[in-house]
Amino acid sequence: ALALTLIAVPTLAATPGKLVSATPLAGAPAGAKAWRIRYTSRDKDNRPITVSGVVIVPRGPAPATGRPIIAWAHGTSGVAEQCGLSDKPTLFPSIAGLESMLAAGYVVAATDYQGLGNPGPHPYLIGNATAHAVLDSVRAAAQVNRSGAGNRFAVWGESQGGHAALWTGQLAGRYAPDLDLVAVAAAAPPTDLKANLTGGTNGPVRALLTAYTADSWSKTFGLKLSTIVRPVAADLITRLAKNCVTLDGFKTGTKIGLVRLTGQLRGVDITKSPRWAAIMRTNSLPATGFTTPLFIAQGGKDMIVAPTVTHAYMDRLCRAQVQLTRLDMPAGDHVTIGKTTAPATIARIGDRFAGKPAPNDC
């Protein structure tokens, strides 16, 4: 059995990316080692916080230049503190292409994000906060004993994590100039939050995402739910936001609550509130400012992140002359897009680590 010893590291609150602790985890893929970590980061207002996550290291000796890192950004798991993934038995199966990344010799750093697995609130779809958590997980990974991690990394995420990955690409040069970002990959990323949160064809899922967003932003920004919905809907939002996304789905009571909230949200447009609309604009992805090649995958049957929204964003990237590789999966859905596109994504990331020129589909 794997001994769960704790490696304590002094904390410097003013230094983001400082490893606080690393606890060995059981259940990693054969031959690999994993640690649940806690590390310092910065919130949306650049205040010091502590974030949790996991670092997974492949077998074999590390190269002299250090192992490359892939920062994995997970999709929506919830907005409550108990919705972090690093302490869940489903952690390893939830990381798309994990065994392939390890087989290629990469260290995998997977953040929980602020407020998941650690004290909240969780800043759901808030670009700079999630990017900080991703970038600082890469810094912390290099401090885990025997990780052999260097400073070259790629970031890859799905759904909410796709949004986080793209924001990481935006902010890496300014926030973490000590790191060398070679590639940014995103599967089904929300890019235009107004369009993404008010679109989608699955009513209950849209209601859940609205509940997560509204609950998170009300706590993160000190906003009142009464400015966007009636009291009955506000109560439903507060209760539903306590639920985490699981592989087994939701309990019957939660499903009933989602149906009720779907009805309550008919005719409601949260973008009519100037403050809520401003947050959506600020945390939607710009098309300019990228200095690293992008790889974006989108499924044509996605009922959560509308393909038309992602395609419109990719067109904007092309007009901005960003180096972009597109992967359209006509039959792809939202839930499986990360895993179905993993071979292509990991291959393209490998090419970037190898210094090969990135293709451009614009």
Side-chain angles (χ1 to χ4, degrees):
L2 189 62
L4 298 182
T5 55
L6 183 68
I7 304 168
V9 179
T11 303
L12 296 178
T15 306
K18 200 73 177 177
L19 184 68
V20 176
S21 65
T23 306
L25 283 177
K33 296 180 180 180
W35 292 262
R36 186 172 192 259
I37 63 170
R38 294 174 65 248
Y39 60 95
T40 59
S41 189
R42 297 295 178 91
D43 70 5
K44 67 179 180 63
D45 298 315
N46 212 36
R47 296 173 298 199
I49 56 172
T50 301
V51 181
S52 58
V54 65
V55 172
I56 311 162
V57 179
R59 65 174 69 88
T65 54
R67 288 187 173 101
I69 303 170
I70 294 183
W72 167 255
H74 68 74
T76 298
S77 63
V79 295
E81 182 175 343
Q82 67 269 21
C83 298
L85 298 181
S86 65
D87 60 349
K88 302 295 190 298
T90 55
L91 166 69
F92 299 112
S94 73
I95 301 176
L98 176 58
E99 293 193 2
S100 295
M101 289 189 281
L102 294 170
Y106 306 138
V107 170
V108 177
T111 182
D112 280 329
Y113 309 127
Q114 176 190 350
L116 301 182
N118 49 87
H122 169 55
Y124 187 60
L125 295 175
I126 302 304
N128 65 346
T130 49
H132 293 171
V134 170
L135 289 163
D136 287 326
S137 74
V138 176
R139 286 167 160 159
Q143 299 163 51
V144 173
N145 189 29
R146 298 186 300 278
S147 73
N151 73 332
R152 299 181 73 227
F153 81 106
V155 60
W156 174 28
E158 63 179 354
S159 190
Q160 176 191 3
H163 178 266
L166 290 168
W167 272 108
T168 297
Q170 280 281 316
L171 299 180
R174 282 172 281 164
Y175 183 79
D178 51 303
L179 300 176
D180 180 12
L181 177 62
V182 303
V184 175
T191 52
D192 179 339
L193 297 192
K194 177 180 178 180
N196 286 127
L197 292 171
T198 58
T201 56
N202 187 316
V205 170
R206 179 179 158 195
L208 180 65
L209 295 180
T210 300
Y212 282 165
T213 304
D215 182 80
S216 167
W217 292 3
S218 68
K219 294 172 180 174
T220 301
F221 295 93
L223 302 177
K224 294 182 178 180
L225 292 176
S226 59
T227 61
I228 54 171
V229 293
R230 295 188 295 270
V232 172
D235 179 65
L236 284 168
I237 284 171
T238 300
R239 288 191 283 127
L240 287 168
K242 297 176 182 177
N243 292 272
C244 305
V245 176
T246 68
L247 297 178
D248 299 327
F250 295 108
K251 297 178 181 178
T252 301
T254 304
K255 293 178 181 178
I256 293 172
L258 287 173
V259 172
R260 290 182 61 201
L261 183 59
T262 300
Q264 289 289 328
L265 291 176
R266 288 196 184 98
V268 173
D269 183 0
I270 63 177
T271 65
K272 288 183 178 179
S273 167
R275 289 197 67 190
W276 293 82
I279 295 170
M280 289 185 187
R281 288 193 300 273
T282 300
N283 292 282
S284 294
L285 267 304
T288 57
F290 290 103
T291 58
T292 305
L294 306 185
F295 177 76
I296 298 179
Q298 177 65 48
K301 302 295 184 181
D302 194 324
M303 295 191 295
I304 299 173
V305 172
T308 53
V309 178
T310 305
H311 292 156
Y313 178 65
M314 290 193 284
D315 290 343
R316 288 176 54 213
L317 289 170
C318 287
R319 289 195 294 272
Q321 299 185 333
V322 174
Q323 199 160 12
L324 170 67
T325 302
R326 307 169 60 143
L327 178 59
D328 289 310
M329 305 288 287
D333 61 22
H334 189 79
V335 175
T336 63
I337 188 67
K339 292 187 176 180
T340 56
T341 60
T345 304
I346 296 169
R348 283 164 176 78
I349 288 174
D351 287 344
R352 303 294 80 70
F353 279 129
K356 296 180 181 179
N360 193 346
D361 291 334
C362 291

